[in-house]
Amino acid sequence: MSPANSDASAALTLLNAAAVRERAHRMLALALDDKLLNFRIHPEKMDGVVDLVLQTTRDAYPSLDVPFHSRWRHFVMNGDDRWATIASERRWPDPAARARAEFDLAIVSVFLDAGAGPTWRYRDPRNGVAVGRSEGLGLASLAMFETGVFSANPRDPLRADADVLANLSIADLERGLQVSKENPLVGLQGRIDLLRNLGKLVASRPDVFGRHDTPRPGGLFDRLAARAENGRLPAPGILSELLQQLGPIWPSRLTLGGIALGDCWKHPALITDDATNGLVPLHKLSQWLAYSLIEPLQTAGIHVTDIDGLTGLAEYRNGGLFADSGMLAFRDSRDAQREHEVSSTLVVEWRTLTVALLDRLASGMRERLGLDAVSLPLAKILQGGSWAAGRQLARERRADASPPVKVISDGTVF
């Protein structure tokens, strides 16, 4: 095998959830041996974290009937499931047509869902309520989708066409997200670049995205449906397909053997004996998207299996849960006041430990409740859950509810 082919093969070993989990637990082992550069770990605090997340979950879902953590939760406001209403009013020719539309919506909405910053708000035209962060971005992206901002056909607004995405303007996004000097949004250019790159890629691959329609992100549904065996599709396969098909859209980061590695970073402590030495995959937005594609697949009649094969999400609310609870402590307390690049060893450590600690949290919660991974998968723990508890701690500790680690965001990671 040539060196180039060898590197490409090595790169592919990082484009899956198993690689994220394996390297995260290696990082945790180093933390437990006190061998990391930036953080110390206090595992004795996990029981308190389990208590907090369990109480947070019971407060939100008293019967413990918790839905999956996904973008669809952000389309519900005060019990009003807005996408369900929109979808019910549409006459779909078949389940696949609805699934393509839901894939379009989920993909575009998730790619707009990096951190918004502490001051941005979306004022909901229906009730005048100002909503920030992920929930606000969710409502804004749904409104844009419903009104056909991403569609090339005025008579068919509920779609996202490749050519429209490729030519989106900053003004389109500013208008839809209500961005202004008085209402600034972090990482606006990164978001528009991501959607344009998505449109260009989808247009160039009709074999993947245009099997039964003109090229659109939702065409990925047909590819995944074709991969289902006896109507069953493993969730990790959704992620692998997303990483391999959409990898080129991400900003120029690490590549190996000509393959873009996406949300993958360097850390000197993760030593291997191959070309992946020092590389740490996390794939946060792609996994968030994988979780968000499960329900459209299920609605279309495909049974998604091994949902716990995906990992927890390496983002600032889950990570904040462990930092604000004291499980993770800065070696240098001054790092709490400094701003850190997303590629820094400190941020990579924090995010990677978050993935492994979410697995530990899940084990503790299941043991406490007498449940298994099938009845209480990570997708429910995140929703119940860890994300909300992380936000609660942030609100208690900082007036602006910002995360405990100050990360310089470009709008494509957090």
Side-chain angles (χ1 to χ4, degrees), residues 255-313:
T255 61
L256 182 59
I259 295 176
L261 299 180
D263 185 7
C264 182
W265 310 91
K266 291 183 177 180
H267 194 287
L270 267 293
I271 299 171
T272 67
D273 59 3
D274 65 2
T276 69
N277 183 50
L279 297 179
V280 185
L282 293 166
H283 306 311
K284 179 259 173 177
L285 272 179
S286 295
Q287 292 213 75
W288 174 229
L289 179 52
Y291 280 120
S292 299
L293 296 182
I294 290 172
E295 287 161 81
L297 287 161
Q298 291 176 327
T299 300
I302 295 172
H303 179 54
V304 179
T305 62
D306 191 19
I307 292 170
D308 229 43
L310 299 174
T311 77
L313 301 180

Side-chain angles (χ1 to χ4, degrees), residues 38 104 169 183 222 282 336-337 364 371:
N38 302 285
D104 279 340
S169 70
N183 192 34
D222 298 298
L282 293 166
Q337 304 307 317
L371 300 173

